[in-house]
Amino acid sequence: MQMLGTFIKPMHREGVKFVAAFAVITLVLFLIWDVLGWIGVGLTVWCYYFFRDPERVPPDRPGLVISPADGIVSLIEPAVPPAELGMPDMALTRVSIFMNVFNCHVNRAPVAGEVTAIAYRPGMFLNASLDKASTDNERNGLRIEMEDGRSIAVVQIAGLVARRIVCFIEPGTRLAAGERFGLIRFGSRLDVYLPAGVAPQVRLGQTMVAGETVIADLTQPPVLQ
């Protein structure tokens, strides 16, 4: 059973209707031509894999910022958080994580705290790996206030293929680090805005695991901006 669990992961409930639709289409394709049917089987398996929702174990140490998404670090740069989140109008270090269509797309809280703001903004569907995707694309931002009074912003950004941002929570929700808060369909990006003076501990191109990979350590001495 342990070996089976290595390859077969539980699926998030958001994926049930999509897998069911793929399965029905696959049955129709088999009636038309077996080759098309087997292609449908492959696509159905991929859809199930896309919506996988494995358990993750966050680091057992307070003061860490952990990755909200699986994927690759695509950008690390200073940027002002989205104005709709009500954060100070100043540049903070932004760490962007790009998710391709093969990554797990369940998003997790980077820190423990209270969600003091959730703001959705419609927009374009540019390639999520581009810098301007942060400002031009459809997005949904969360502001999470930690016990020490500092806030972190995490922003879900739709991409070239992604057409649906899903957020499971509401303002006032208290999240544990690594707790699920949303997902994006299909292929996208997440931005994390670190508090002032906090230096990232990741590099461009690094592979991230949602709920487990450490982005930054809030207990380290502040870095002068």
Side-chain angles (χ1 to χ4, degrees):
M1 292 298 292
Q2 289 183 342
M3 180 65 73
L4 188 63
T6 301
F7 299 100
I8 302 178
K9 303 297 182 182
M11 183 179 64
H12 195 277
R13 61 183 183 277
E14 283 286 329
V16 173
K17 57 187 176 183
F18 291 94
V19 173
F22 272 72
V24 170
I25 293 172
T26 296
L27 291 176
V28 174
L29 292 176
F30 268 118
L31 296 175
I32 299 172
W33 186 26
D34 283 357
V35 173
L36 292 177
W38 286 111
I39 292 174
V41 169
L43 292 174
T44 302
V45 171
W46 167 79
C47 187
Y48 177 92
Y49 183 72
F50 177 88
F51 284 103
R52 67 194 184 280
D53 186 16
E55 291 299 323
R56 297 288 168 79
V57 182
D60 188 20
R61 183 160 72 84
L64 297 178
V65 181
I66 56 179
S67 179
D70 286 11
I72 300 293
V73 177
S74 58
L75 291 169
I76 301 175
E77 60 186 2
V80 178
E84 59 265 24
L85 291 178
M87 298 179 69
D89 186 19
M90 60 180 291
L92 302 173
T93 298
R94 181 178 68 197
V95 178
S96 300
I97 302 164
F98 177 73
M99 299 180 287
N100 63 38
V101 294
F102 298 105
N103 290 129
C104 175
H105 275 58
V106 175
N107 305 144
R108 298 171 181 267
V111 293
E114 180 181 354
V115 179
T116 56
I118 298 177
Y120 169 80
R121 202 205 72 168
M124 302 172 67
F125 297 95
L126 303 173
N127 188 325
S129 64
L130 298 176
D131 179 41
K132 60 182 179 180
S134 291
T135 55
D136 295 347
N137 280 22
E138 178 184 26
R139 66 179 184 237
N140 185 66
L142 281 68
R143 179 178 178 176
I144 303 174
E145 184 174 320
M146 298 173 286
E147 287 187 357
D148 63 6
R150 290 185 291 179
S151 291
I152 277 184
V154 56
V155 184
Q156 300 169 287
I157 300 173
L160 188 64
V161 181
R163 299 287 160 159
R164 183 75 170 96
I165 295 175
V166 181
C167 184
F168 310 140
I169 61 172
E170 299 177 349
T173 302
R174 297 200 66 85
L175 293 172
E179 185 175 347
R180 301 165 179 85
F181 72 83
L183 60 79
I184 315 177
R185 308 190 298 249
F186 290 86
S188 43
R189 167 176 151 189
L190 260 76
D191 287 348
V192 178
Y193 293 82
L194 301 174
V198 175
Q201 296 185 354
V202 293
R203 295 183 178 181
L204 290 174
Q206 181 174 340
T207 299
M208 310 296 284
V209 178
E212 295 187 352
T213 305
V214 175
I215 293 179
D217 187 345
L218 300 172
T219 67
Q220 293 295 309
V223 176
L224 297 178
Q225 301 291 314

